[in-house]
Amino acid sequence: MEHRFGELSPRKVLLIAGSIVLWAVALLMLLVFLGVGEEFEPAAPVFGSLEGRFVSDNTMTLDGKVLHYRENEITNYLFIGVDNDDVTDVFGHQNGGQADFLVVLAIDRINRCVSPVMLDRDTMVEMHTYGVFGHPSGTRVMQLCLAQAYSGINIPGSVNTVETVEKLLQNIDIHHYVVLDMTAIPLVNDAVGGVEVTLQDDFTVYDPVMAKGTTIRLIGEQAEFFVRGRMTVADGTNVSRMGRQQQYLSGLLSQFRQTVKGNQPKLQQVLNLLEGHMVTEAGDNTLLHDVNAYDDYTWRPLAVLQGRHAIDEYGFAEFWVDEDALMRLVADIWFR
């Protein structure tokens, strides 16, 4: 019997159907192999892969880019100069004094440099407060210097200051803190041979030889007059005092490096002089190691936070940080 044009025998129909099924199975296997149809879920990480292992969860966004905190590459020290005569008495309700001087040293082990950042004592920040018996009493927005005054049960004011600074600087880690009373200034100053400055203000109320315009190598109490003097110097504000502190710190750091570089006995001598004037959770061995380990690093220029100064309704000084400038400074030093 003749078939009409276009008709297929049952045998050919079965062969064609079988071929279609085989091609469909092959295509499905290929799609599965390529991961298509799995809602584009990322492949599971390969066992032993280092990808993402050293990336911090602490991130910030700047100019549309997500930056990660370089937590395994930088060691941070916070130096706190307090107005107390005895820094060893650090507990008690509002008994920790005030932090007149705050500097963060960021030691960058990748770029082999140290970035000093000076913080204004009047910077308005949110901090933890504690009651008379050392129990948490909430948070308040106050001058940064006041964090030192608040301590809790087993929490000295220096730790409260550390936590406040960490929060201000986008949750970086302060690994070590060093608290000094201001009477330690002459000791360190003289141990490194004094610091030379040109006086932009008149200090003759403290010392007759400290006249405006004089270039002098500060010795003994002169260094403390220069760094701490405020009410009877210039306009009496912390703004002008911070300018002098920046000038002095730049000179002191340079002089300190020249004096103790490669000189272990001299460094130990300085630490011995500070006994009773310094409190730190880092032992002498840690301090000695870090000074020696990084003494050939390049020091970047001293950085300060940008912002505006104001006087509140009660006559107290305030410094409000420029948030954009702060983010850029933090990103430059601590994030990538």
Side-chain angles (χ1 to χ4, degrees):
M1 180 178 182
E2 294 183 354
H3 296 285
R4 289 177 297 177
F5 180 77
E7 288 185 351
L8 299 175
S9 67
R11 183 171 179 274
K12 287 186 176 181
V13 170
L14 289 175
L15 287 174
I16 293 173
S19 298
I20 292 173
V21 170
L22 287 174
W23 276 107
V25 171
L27 178 61
L28 179 61
M29 292 179 64
L30 178 62
L31 292 175
V32 170
F33 178 76
L34 295 177
V36 179
E38 298 181 5
E39 298 184 358
F40 300 99
E41 292 183 2
V46 178
F47 179 76
S49 172
L50 297 179
E51 183 178 356
R53 180 171 298 180
F54 302 115
V55 177
S56 171
D57 292 332
N58 181 9
T59 63
M60 62 181 290
T61 302
L62 185 66
D63 297 333
K65 297 180 180 179
V66 177
L67 308 179
H68 292 266
Y69 174 46
R70 300 169 56 202
E71 62 182 339
N72 296 311
E73 301 174 358
I74 297 177
T75 299
N76 300 304
Y77 274 84
L78 175 62
F79 287 83
I80 307 169
V82 298
D83 59 2
N84 258 11
D85 292 333
D86 183 5
V87 293
T88 61
D89 187 13
V90 293
F91 285 95
H93 181 60
Q94 299 187 20
N95 197 40
Q98 295 185 16
D100 279 349
F101 175 82
L102 300 108
V103 172
V104 177
L105 291 185
I107 304 171
D108 186 335
R109 296 185 298 277
I110 301 301
N111 298 307
R112 298 180 66 81
C113 66
V114 180
S115 298
V117 179
M118 190 171 186
L119 308 177
D120 192 315
R121 74 186 296 277
D122 295 324
T123 302
M124 300 302 291
V125 289
E126 184 178 29
M127 69 185 68
H128 290 288
T129 58
Y130 298 87
V132 175
F133 300 105
H135 299 293
S137 59
T139 62
R140 290 179 60 186
V141 175
M142 296 186 293
Q143 289 87 345
L144 174 58
C145 62
L146 298 177
Q148 189 69 26
Y150 285 92
S151 58
I153 297 175
N154 298 323
I155 300 177
S158 49
V159 171
N160 196 33
T161 300
V162 164
E163 293 175 351
T164 304
V165 170
E166 288 178 333
K167 186 174 182 179
L168 171 67
L169 300 179
Q170 299 298 310
N171 298 312
I172 69 167
D173 298 315
I174 298 296
H175 301 96
H176 304 293
Y177 65 82
V178 178
V179 185
L180 298 164
D181 64 48
M182 286 303 190
T183 60
I185 296 171
L187 300 176
V188 177
N189 181 85
D190 293 1
V192 299
V195 175
E196 185 177 283
V197 297
T198 297
L199 303 179
Q200 304 299 324
D201 301 302
D202 186 76
F203 289 85
T204 54
V205 67
Y206 297 110
D207 189 324
V209 304
M210 297 180 68
K212 182 177 180 178
T214 304
T215 297
I216 182 175
R217 181 168 294 276
L218 300 172
I219 297 297
E221 287 187 323
Q222 291 174 338
E224 187 175 352
F225 297 153
F226 185 79
V227 173
R228 295 191 67 186
R230 181 166 69 98
M231 300 304 292
T232 57
V233 180
D235 58 4
T237 66
N238 185 58
V239 179
S240 60
R241 180 170 64 176
M242 270 197 67
R244 295 194 303 274
Q245 290 177 346
Q246 293 171 39
Q247 179 187 3
Y248 178 80
L249 182 61
S250 296
L252 178 65
L253 290 175
S254 175
Q255 192 72 11
F256 184 84
R257 293 187 68 207
Q258 292 177 30
T259 304
V260 306
K261 185 177 177 65
N263 190 340
Q264 188 84 358
K266 186 64 176 180
L267 179 57
Q268 185 65 63
Q269 178 189 351
V270 174
L271 290 177
N272 292 341
L273 285 172
L274 293 176
E275 187 174 349
H277 300 274
M278 178 178 76
V279 170
T280 177
E281 43 57 69
D284 281 3
N285 289 338
T286 298
L287 296 176
L288 288 167
H289 169 270
D290 285 354
V291 172
N292 289 322
Y294 310 120
D295 70 351
D296 62 339
Y297 279 25
T298 300
W299 281 67
R300 300 177 70 183
L302 178 68
V304 295
L305 304 188
Q306 302 300 310
R308 62 179 179 86
H309 293 88
I311 301 296
D312 71 7
E313 58 183 316
Y314 303 106
F316 293 108
E318 298 177 342
F319 177 71
W320 295 90
V321 173
D322 181 318
E323 292 293 337
D324 183 66
L326 173 64
M327 295 279 279
R328 294 184 183 282
L329 174 65
V330 170
D332 176 58
I333 298 175
W334 287 287
F335 284 74
R336 62 180 168 90

